Amino acid sequence: MGLLEKKVSSEVELKIDFWRTLDQVSAQVAAKNVDLIVLPVSIGASLYSKGIDLKLAGVILWKAFYVVTKDFDLTDLKTLSGQEIYTPQGKGQTGDVLIRYSLEQVGLKPDIDVKIRYATPPEIVSLMSAGKVRVAVLPEPFVTLALKQAQSRIEYDLQELWSNYTQLPARVPITGLFVTKNLDEATLYKAMTAIENSLRYAMENRHEAAALSVPYLGGMPAQIIEESLTRTLYEYKRANEVASEVIQYLKITQQVDPSAMPSIPDEKFFAF
């Protein structure tokens, strides 16, 4: 956001566009039309495994997913037996992987003991407001939106559950910065530094960053965005610094949904 609104300077000119479909991402990368691209880490790894020419430069989003409930006493994950959980992520994506893995750790079988349903985040918040959804896995800022509009409550920090079950830090490599072969090394480092500074700006200037984000988040109220940033962790970590965490996450993604992660990337997947 700092870069988009010129609140953070960059030594190189960055033209920022938004992608809307995975097919669009694949086409743009294959055509060498982009130098850097931000994607869910698991999707980037899946594309790499399919021969798409991209590498992970760094991880930028580490914390965003929570289990929220409305009119449901979730004293333990085992109490979800026989229930439905809604998540906006498709099968094999971060929220889906985290909840399925967590359920398995307490002996519940996803899709058998617990039904996993999918809908868009606004639909889930709307259904929860209407009393038609009692348990959901949501990312921020929709967690905060559900708290305000549906009077729901946060039951679990999924990053904390991840840490409890894996003994890894309470963070998950959710979103990454991927690089193609178009950039020379000096330009790439300057771009990475600008992006790192932009993420730091958002974390250190939440009120201003929230106000600037409104047009990019469909008009979501700035107050919701600002509060959501208190439960979100944007932090740039270069790929090689966190490679073991990334591989562990991808292995568990493969364990939870082999179709989403047919093979684990080799060491060439990490750009730095």
Side-chain angles (χ1 to χ4, degrees), residues 88-134:
Q89 301 292 307
K91 196 166 185 292
Q93 297 306 303
T94 308
D96 186 64
V97 168
L98 293 178
I99 191 60
R100 285 174 181 270
Y101 179 65
S102 298
L103 292 172
E104 289 174 354
Q105 301 314 298
V106 297
L108 294 178
K109 296 179 180 177
D111 300 324
I112 296 176
D113 298 322
V114 183
K115 303 299 183 187
I116 309 292
R117 308 295 189 199
Y118 304 102
T120 67
E123 286 174 332
I124 293 174
V125 174
S126 178
L127 289 168
M128 188 165 263
S129 298
K132 296 179 179 178
V133 168
R134 299 203 297 171

Side-chain angles (χ1 to χ4, degrees), residues 200-217:
R200 187 179 300 113
Y201 162 81
M203 289 286 92
E204 295 177 353
N205 301 276
R206 291 170 180 157
H207 182 73
E208 188 173 45
L212 295 173
S213 299
V214 170
Y216 303 97
L217 292 175

